[in-house]
Amino acid sequence: MNRESVVNLYNRWCLISDKIRFLLVGGFNAAFSYVIFALAFYLMHHQHYQICVALQWIISSVFSFTNQKVFVFCTKGNWLKEYFKCCTTWVVSYICNAIILEIIVRYVTKNVYIGQIISIFMASIVTYLLFKYFAFKHHKK
């Protein structure tokens, strides 16, 4: 595949609704994040799940930022400015994730793995809104 074909394919991809792109790319990012969480939780012998959540968010942030910037919001330039806005978004999203997970583990199910799947999904809604209206707001292609 030549460069022109790749550019055309990318441009067509960017014409798809950002909600659809976020679901697809965000689903991949969420799966990647969950694997990090599950692996950390397993390696910590099923203890300290809040530490595992923090590790998950730290490790997956660069991976997620690149995917969101390039494949969801299709922005160009402003890498550092958008990355710092994303960091702010992730702090809010992390806090949402940690609180939701704590509530689910205490009051709904003791299964941390299931609780984290639900937490990631709920935090993803907040993350999408913050990405769309804050982190990548003024730099759409």
Side-chain angles (χ1 to χ4, degrees), residues 8-25:
N8 285 337
L9 184 61
Y10 177 74
N11 288 336
R12 282 195 286 172
W13 167 260
C14 290
L15 293 176
I16 298 170
S17 167
D18 63 358
K19 290 176 184 75
I20 302 294
R21 292 191 314 260
F22 184 80
L23 284 173
L24 295 171
V25 174

Side-chain angles (χ1 to χ4, degrees), residues 93 96 100 104 116-127:
S93 187
C96 289
I100 293 166
I104 290 170
Q116 183 60 356
I117 289 171
I118 296 166
S119 298
I120 286 174
F121 175 75
M122 294 175 81
S124 293
I125 296 167
V126 172
T127 303

Side-chain angles (χ1 to χ4, degrees), residues 1 3 18 22 27 43 67 78 87 107 120 125 132 134 139:
M1 190 177 266
R3 184 178 179 347
D18 63 358
F22 184 80
L43 292 173
N67 286 334
N78 302 306
C87 288
Y107 302 110
I120 286 174
I125 296 167
K132 181 171 177 133
F134 174 66
H139 305 292

